[in-house]
Amino acid sequence: ADAPEKKYALYMMMLGFSALALGTFFGPLQAFNYGGLDLYPLLKPVFQNYYQGLSLHGVLNAIVFTQLFAQTIMIYLPARELGLRPNMKLAWASFWMALAGLLIAAVPLLLNEASVLYTFYAPLKASWAFYTGAAIFVLSSYLSIYIALELWLRWRRANPGKITPLATFMAVAFWLMWFLASLGLVVEALFLIPWSLGLLPGVDPLLMRTLFWYTGHPIVYFWLLPAYTLAYVTLPKLAGGKLVSDPLARLVFVLFLLFSVPVGFHHQFADPGIAPYWKFIHTVLTMMVAVPSLITAFTIAASLEVAGRANGGKGLLGWIAALPWHNPTVLAFLLGFLAFIPGGAGGIVNASFNLNQNVHNTVWIPGHFHLQVGTLVTMAAMGTAFWLIPHLTGKPLVARGLAVASQWLWFLGMFIMTFALHWMGFLYAIPRRAHISGSPLAMEAFKESSAWMALNIVSGVILLVAAVLFFYVIFATALQGHRDPKRVLEEVPFAEAISKPEGSGLARVTERVWFWFGLAAVLVVLAYGPVLYQMFTNMLPVPGVRLW
Ligand code: HAS
């Protein structure tokens, strides 16, 4: 790593992949659980039970890995695009804060004192160290928000009147969205930490759930948007073509800024204490947040078509075969996006107020999100690692064939697993977050779906093999002694756009970032304000309980 931001990006990303490696190890154990095979007794005394494994799996994969990858991509890409050095002191401070938070939270997780799953619903209570470590970890992303905004504003001062380059624009919209989105978790931590220390007699579970889901839905776009950014700014070039429309890509990110946050009640359709009309308003807003993904489906597919035709593909579908499927990065994105189609459709089922009653708290839901975050987001990160680690280190990719195999196997494993989970959830109402294999009664109750459940074991084995291959490739690449700068991508592969932002009215309108941010904040206040006000004021008059 010759530039300091390269070293920062490498460390951040490898820390994220280390978390993913450990978290992923528990994945097959969850899959085996749904297949009726309980391997947890074999892991004693190091790991105690299913719920400890599930908490480690969710926290490390969904919270830690995703945030560290965002802190890599959404700082490194704008820095390279603008040719500016980010504030390195703060960048390293964010790294050390994330590491410290992770280590503090890891202790209770490993001691089975924080087995409260990644949603940490009260009244489940974890050790104070878990909430404190998690808070420090999440707050490290606030430094990233500052670093990205400072970088952008520095560029703007030097380039008045110019349209912000695309990756930087995406990073700015992304970090502003995360600032708004993360406030729920920050406020929740202000209750959970004193409660876990015994300073508060209790917390209101409904309020805690509401604060959690305030952040808990937009956090999925916090996971998704680095993948989308890479898909817009690098995939078209890696596939051999161009991005069809730069302004449309900007519109997508503005729509995410506006609609990612005011939607959290769609996780609480079954909760009492929130009037149905509020839930309905959040349903409508959730449908709005699917729109930027539909635009993305169009723009990315069209850009891939441009690439396929530039590679010599002919006819209606010949361009698909002409895409560079042998390139492990392109392959990862193609397969990830294919999985995202049924995943997105499932999301719309979840959001549909009444249909949700059929799938809520069943294994359909883990089926949905393993297509979204487990397949697209993770594969985008894996695929990107195949060029980014060589780019950052000057060391060429080791075992390209295994890299390709890891992506096919990951896709196949996820496909089988999510197919089975959707089926089991929708038709047999098998509950999620349930230790099924530990209870003969539960196995008896779900006998009729045993064929689907057995598929989970198959998928667990395939995913384990895929993970071993992937982690071997990236760690062997990063740790080898051999450098060969000629065989690595020296520059970030930024794609050129066919429809450019210069002269585009849409690009001018989207450039008014502070206006969109203000509007997003107003939407949040309208969609959440009255309900939260009511929840906070209802909480106060409980006789004999002082909450502050
Ligand atoms: Fe979700 C639950 C609704 C997207 C993650 N979601 C979850 C949970 C997680 C999660 C983790 O309304 C569980 C939380 C928990 O533990 O309880 N979700 C949606 C909707 C969308 C959506 C409407 N979710 C995501 C994404 C996630 C994610 C993205 C992670 C990254 N979700 C819900 C709801 C629930 C829920 C309810 C609560 C359910 C309950 O009852 O508990 C939308 O944003 C989806 C829009 C997506 C599309 C797809 C567009 C397709 C594209 C692919 C194009 C293909 C190409 C390929 C280009 C409309 C972009 C070309 C290929 C070639 C080869 C040519």
Side-chain angles (χ1 to χ4, degrees):
D2 46 6
E5 60 272 18
K6 279 193 170 179
K7 190 169 173 188
Y8 156 82
L10 183 68
Y11 277 49
M12 217 36 154
M13 180 169 57
M14 292 319 268
L15 182 62
F17 279 126
S18 305
L20 184 70
L22 181 59
T24 298
F25 165 75
F26 290 96
L29 298 177
Q30 320 301 333
F32 295 160
N33 168 55
Y34 283 114
L37 184 62
D38 186 9
L39 294 190
Y40 278 98
L42 302 180
L43 299 179
K44 279 189 176 165
V46 184
F47 297 110
Q48 302 307 316
N49 56 43
Y50 168 81
Y51 292 100
Q52 186 187 12
L54 185 54
S55 302
L56 277 159
H57 182 66
V59 170
L60 290 174
N61 292 355
I63 296 184
V64 176
F65 158 66
T66 47
Q67 181 183 310
L68 294 173
F69 191 67
Q71 288 177 297
T72 307
I73 293 301
M74 304 311 254
I75 296 292
Y76 186 69
L77 289 191
R80 278 290 126 137
E81 185 178 45
L82 302 180
L84 293 177
R85 177 136 303 149
N87 181 327
M88 288 313 301
K89 276 207 184 94
L90 285 184
W92 283 113
S94 70
F95 173 81
W96 290 112
M97 245 177 107
L99 182 61
L102 180 55
L103 293 177
I104 295 170
V107 176
L109 271 170
L110 294 172
L111 293 175
N112 194 25
E113 283 170 17
S115 299
V116 294
L117 312 189
Y118 88 112
T119 43
F120 36 88
Y121 285 154
L124 287 177
K125 197 200 254 180
S127 147
W128 63 270
F130 174 69
Y131 300 126
T132 310
I136 295 173
F137 180 81
V138 172
L139 285 178
S140 85
S141 70
Y142 278 38
L143 295 186
S144 307
I145 298 177
Y146 178 83
I147 296 166
L149 291 182
E150 188 276 330
L151 196 69
W152 172 55
L153 292 173
R154 210 184 326 147
W155 176 86
R156 256 190 142 175
R157 275 194 301 274
N159 297 276
K162 282 203 184 148
I163 301 267
T164 306
L166 184 59
T168 309
F169 178 85
M170 291 175 159
V172 169
F174 167 80
W175 286 116
L176 287 176
M177 182 282 277
W178 177 237
F179 174 70
L180 265 188
S182 56
L183 295 176
L185 268 193
V186 172
V187 177
E188 191 185 2
L190 296 178
F191 286 92
L192 293 181
I193 295 175
W195 176 53
S196 61
L197 286 167
L199 302 173
L200 274 184
V203 290
D204 176 348
L206 178 62
L207 177 62
M208 292 306 107
R209 282 168 69 87
T210 306
L211 291 172
F212 180 85
W213 286 120
Y214 171 100
T215 301
H217 192 77
I219 209 173
V220 313
Y221 302 116
F222 181 64
W223 308 337
L224 179 70
L225 294 190
Y228 272 14
T229 300
L230 288 160
Y232 278 108
V233 304
T234 67
L235 179 63
K237 176 150 183 184
L238 291 168
K242 292 183 179 176
L243 174 65
V244 291
S245 172
D246 168 301
L248 215 45
R250 290 167 197 269
L251 174 66
V252 163
F253 274 64
V254 167
L255 291 174
F256 274 119
L257 174 57
L258 285 177
F259 295 113
S260 288
V261 188
V263 296
F265 293 160
H266 72 220
H267 290 265
Q268 297 181 273
F269 287 147
D271 285 17
I274 301 170
Y277 49 85
W278 285 111
K279 295 176 179 173
F280 181 72
I281 289 172
H282 281 226
T283 284
V284 174
L285 290 167
T286 304
M287 296 304 168
M288 294 298 294
V289 81
V291 172
S293 283
L294 292 169
I295 302 177
T296 300
F298 166 77
T299 314
I300 297 297
S303 304
L304 288 171
E305 182 176 355
V306 168
R309 296 203 185 282
N311 298 341
K314 301 259 177 311
L316 191 60
L317 296 176
W319 57 271
I320 297 179
L323 289 168
W325 291 85
H326 57 275
N327 175 328
T329 305
V330 176
L331 174 70
F333 274 94
L334 292 177
L335 297 179
F337 271 119
L338 283 177
F340 202 67
I341 300 172
I348 290 168
V349 169
N350 299 344
S352 306
F353 211 68
N354 311 28
L355 283 177
N356 181 273
Q357 306 299 317
N358 212 34
V359 296
H360 183 63
N361 273 344
T362 72
V363 287
W364 166 285
I365 303 298
H368 158 67
F369 67 71
H370 278 84
L371 286 171
Q372 310 292 85
V373 63
T375 311
L376 174 63
V377 171
T378 308
M379 290 187 82
M382 289 173 161
T384 298
F386 295 142
W387 69 261
L388 188 54
I389 295 174
H391 163 83
L392 295 174
T393 59
K395 299 173 181 179
L397 186 68
V398 163
R400 174 173 286 264
L402 292 186
V404 169
S406 72
Q407 297 311 292
W408 277 111
L409 287 174
W410 190 269
F411 174 73
L412 183 69
M414 282 293 175
F415 186 83
I416 295 175
M417 184 183 89
T418 53
F419 188 72
L421 289 176
H422 277 96
W423 207 269
M424 286 154 59
F426 198 72
L427 291 185
Y428 301 101
I430 310 258
R432 64 179 292 203
R433 309 184 189 99
H435 188 199
I436 286 183
S437 55
S439 143
L441 272 181
M443 287 314 287
E444 186 62 24
F446 302 124
K447 226 162 58 198
E448 72 278 26
S449 91
S450 54
W452 300 106
M453 293 170 96
L455 281 180
N456 283 279
I457 298 187
V458 177
S459 70
V461 174
I462 298 175
L463 285 163
L464 191 59
V465 176
V468 169
L469 296 185
F470 169 73
F471 288 117
Y472 166 74
V473 171
I474 61 158
F475 285 107
T477 301
L479 298 176
Q480 68 186 313
H482 173 64
R483 277 175 214 273
D484 187 354
K486 279 197 223 86
R487 284 176 54 211
V488 305
L489 278 179
E490 219 170 284
E491 301 294 331
V492 173
F494 287 119
E496 207 188 307
I498 297 175
S499 167
K500 297 197 186 332
E502 290 78 24
S504 149
L506 182 55
R508 280 269 155 231
V509 173
T510 52
E511 189 68 13
R512 305 183 64 172
V513 175
W514 295 116
F515 170 76
W516 298 115
F517 176 64
L519 195 59
V522 170
L523 253 177
V524 171
V525 172
L526 291 177
Y528 264 109
V531 179
L532 280 176
Y533 175 78
Q534 196 184 10
M535 283 183 187
F536 275 105
T537 44
N538 279 352
M539 209 174 60
L540 285 175
V542 178
V545 176
R546 282 185 54 210
L547 287 168
W548 45 61

